[in-house]
Amino acid sequence: MGENSFKIVMYPWFAMGHLTTFLHISNKFAEKAHQIFFILPTRTQSKLHQFNLHPDLIKFIPITVPQVEGLPDGIETTADIPFPMYSLLRHAMDLTEPAIEALLRELKPHFIFFDFTHWLPALARRLGIKSVHYCTISPASVAYLFRDEPAADAFMEPPPGFPPSAIILYKHEARGVDTINNIKEFGSAMKFVQRVLTAGQFLPEPPTSTLDEKWAKWLDQFKPKSVIFCSFGSEARLEKDQFQELILGFELTGFPFLAALKPPIGAETVDEALPEGFRERSAERGIVDGGWVQQQLILSHPSVGCFVTHCGWGSLSEAMVNECQLVLLPHVGDQPINARLMGGDLRVGVEVEKGGEDGLFTREGVMNAIRLVMEDESEIGREVRAKHAEWRKFLLREGLENSYFDDFVHKLQRLLEH
Ligand SMILES: C[C@@H]1O[C@H](OP(=O)(O)OP(=O)(O)OC[C@H]2O[C@@H](n3ccc(=O)[nH]c3=O)[C@H](O)[C@@H]2O)[C@H](O)[C@H](O)[C@H]1O
């Protein structure tokens, strides 16, 4: 390690979208020869190796998730449980405090980066280590969600001082308020925040692994930019009727499609939830898979032309550095804000229309949004494709990410001097 390089421990919330986002910034630190100790649940490592581009400098430190009453055995991340159980997983994470303390005493890092463990700032201070609350949701979401006004009404307009924006939340998105109140409880570390450092958006580098033969072979059979890829992150589970509307919408477009979705609520498998005759009708050109796929590698495959996303911040950052067009179908929490930001303010994608009161979408709404971004005739499609290309060029501009990353490192250096 150089004399100016940091030793950093990363301890993100046990959720894939947080673990991958912390790994993106870890790759950036490792690229600049800083040393990272990345604490993560033991069996989840297998899904995250593909994101670790510097295994020589980013050491995974496996941790056993303690058993908690009510939390099924073997659970490691939010991907494996329904939302109401998140507070049990949070409690399990809190029970790791003694193990984390022992690790910090052994490693003596300069910093520990965390997000949902509210007890870390006090522990780190006791050990003379700087703690950094690394927020993985968009700044727009932080502005909207971590505010003290009463929830439901206040969500109809931007917070005081927010720049002019298309971001408004509809009544049916009040569901996200409960999520946020939970996250607020999760994110109570925010109260300990003494100084806000803007780190910038760390863009995912292309993984060094290769796409599984199964998917490469299937995708290779289609024309460039002709396939719809859909993934709703590691947590989202639709109601069965909405799950069926979604995939029937893909079928209506006439384009080939690959949907990597968790089984809908109440179903054990994706297969049992497919509409009558769907599997047979779409055998040649459509796959609905319930497993974990190499999303970044699929997004960069030349046949993929459209990404239907739930607007998790990790997936959006991956979409922005790829060329496939964006169809936005937010689910809960910060995702509607991300969707309005991307579709309304930046205009890099088209949001699927939903019912004003019930928030439900239809197969026709899914088909229309996909056709808008995939077919040349539409004016909106041309605008969205041009805007996406413009923002992608800006984000990938040589030296841009380094400029704000180096500034962030200087700010961290100054923290050490105080
Ligand atoms: C910050 C917060 O993360 C949460 O995580 P979630 O997993 O839903 O979604 P992403 O952030 O897209 O993260 C998902 C991550 O898992 C990867 N992936 C997913 C599915 C798959 O089959 N294969 C993969 O490799 C994907 O590439 C991305 O890196 C919530 O969305 C929340 O709204 C968001 O702001």
Side-chain angles (χ1 to χ4, degrees):
M1 248 175 63
E3 76 282 356
N4 289 330
S5 50
F6 301 143
K7 186 192 281 187
I8 303 174
V9 169
M10 297 282 176
Y11 194 30
W13 167 228
F14 294 159
M16 294 313 284
H18 295 245
L19 289 158
T20 55
T21 305
F22 269 66
L23 260 171
H24 293 327
I25 192 173
S26 298
N27 282 323
K28 204 62 207 164
F29 275 116
E31 198 185 288
K32 304 273 182 161
H34 299 286
Q35 201 177 14
I36 304 293
F37 295 89
F38 199 99
I39 308 169
L40 75 175
T42 306
R43 288 193 320 285
T44 303
Q45 291 182 78
S46 62
K47 284 185 176 172
L48 288 165
H49 284 303
Q50 61 167 311
F51 293 88
N52 182 355
L53 305 180
H54 302 274
D56 54 330
L57 281 166
I58 302 173
K59 294 299 172 209
F60 280 174
I61 299 191
I63 191 166
T64 304
V65 178
Q67 281 306 305
V68 160
E69 194 184 335
L71 195 63
D73 287 353
I75 293 301
E76 289 202 331
T77 71
T78 56
D80 310 317
I81 47 175
F83 184 72
M85 283 193 181
Y86 286 17
S87 51
L88 294 173
L89 184 60
R90 152 80 192 279
H91 179 50
M93 196 167 189
D94 289 346
L95 295 177
T96 66
E97 183 172 352
I100 300 305
E101 175 167 357
L103 197 66
L104 292 178
R105 287 183 185 281
E106 180 196 339
L107 291 171
K108 298 184 179 50
H110 297 95
F111 298 98
I112 177 159
F113 279 47
F114 70 100
D115 54 359
F116 278 15
T117 41
H118 63 89
W119 39 267
L120 254 175
L123 168 59
R125 195 175 302 114
R126 259 199 341 268
L127 301 177
I129 297 167
K130 295 289 183 187
S131 60
V132 178
H133 177 276
Y134 183 52
C135 194
T136 58
I137 61 175
S138 66
S141 298
V142 174
Y144 267 74
L145 303 177
F146 289 98
R147 54 198 277 186
D148 295 326
E149 292 87 345
D153 302 339
F155 282 84
M156 294 308 285
E157 56 188 13
F162 198 82
S165 163
I167 306 176
I168 56 168
L169 290 180
Y170 303 102
K171 286 287 181 203
H172 66 258
E173 286 159 339
R175 173 178 51 179
V177 173
D178 302 338
T179 311
I180 296 322
N181 286 337
N182 261 280
I183 291 181
K184 264 186 173 177
E185 183 244 334
F186 280 179
S188 51
M190 299 289 269
K191 291 194 212 44
F192 294 93
V193 170
Q194 291 176 2
R195 196 175 311 172
V196 177
L197 306 182
T198 48
Q201 176 62 46
F202 294 104
L203 301 167
E205 310 261 341
T208 46
S209 50
T210 49
L211 183 58
D212 288 354
E213 179 62 19
K214 164 185 170 186
W215 298 124
K217 217 159 146 236
W218 189 82
L219 287 167
D220 286 347
Q221 64 182 321
F222 298 108
K223 289 191 304 213
K225 302 280 173 265
S226 65
V227 177
I228 302 162
F229 168 60
C230 174
S231 166
F232 282 175
S234 64
E235 298 172 350
R237 292 188 73 177
L238 294 174
E239 296 292 342
K240 184 174 176 183
D241 61 337
Q242 289 282 269
F243 175 87
Q244 294 193 340
E245 283 301 307
L246 178 70
I247 57 179
L248 289 168
F250 297 156
E251 185 183 22
L252 279 177
T253 66
F255 291 110
F257 58 86
L258 163 54
L261 296 167
K262 298 169 84 80
I265 294 166
E268 285 299 310
T269 67
V270 155
D271 272 329
E272 70 184 71
L274 296 178
E276 198 62 38
F278 183 88
R279 179 72 71 190
E280 295 68 33
R281 291 197 309 268
S282 59
E284 296 306 309
R285 61 180 181 85
I287 293 185
V288 184
D289 185 273
W292 182 263
V293 296
Q294 298 156 295
Q295 172 167 303
Q296 284 183 272
L297 290 170
I298 291 173
L299 285 173
S300 61
H301 190 284
S303 299
V304 175
C306 174
F307 178 32
V308 181
T309 172
H310 71 315
C311 304
W313 198 241
S315 291
L316 286 174
S317 12
E318 290 159 8
M320 286 308 289
V321 297
N322 280 292
E323 295 180 36
C324 41
Q325 301 311 315
L326 274 176
V327 166
L328 312 163
L329 192 45
H331 189 59
V332 74
D334 61 318
Q335 295 152 20
I337 297 166
N338 296 339
R340 295 307 111 78
L341 176 71
M342 303 304 265
D345 289 347
L346 302 186
R347 304 197 59 68
V348 293
V350 170
E351 188 169 348
V352 173
E353 270 182 39
K354 291 183 177 176
E357 286 306 313
D358 60 13
L360 301 180
F361 59 85
T362 63
R363 64 193 77 172
E364 293 77 12
V366 171
M367 174 190 71
N368 293 336
I370 290 171
R371 284 193 171 160
L372 271 178
V373 300
M374 289 281 272
E375 291 174 351
D376 295 339
E377 306 75 67
S378 76
E379 180 57 32
I380 296 177
R382 278 198 294 276
E383 182 197 10
V384 156
R385 284 193 293 275
K387 282 286 181 193
H388 185 179
E390 188 186 313
W391 276 102
R392 179 171 178 272
K393 189 169 169 224
F394 169 72
L395 288 169
L396 293 174
R397 200 172 67 192
E398 183 67 31
L400 175 78
E401 190 179 57
N402 279 331
S403 65
Y404 53 74
F405 180 72
D406 293 344
D407 180 49
F408 178 52
V409 169
H410 291 325
K411 291 173 190 165
L412 292 173
Q413 191 64 46
R414 282 202 291 279
L415 281 183
L416 289 179
E417 290 153 11
H418 292 89

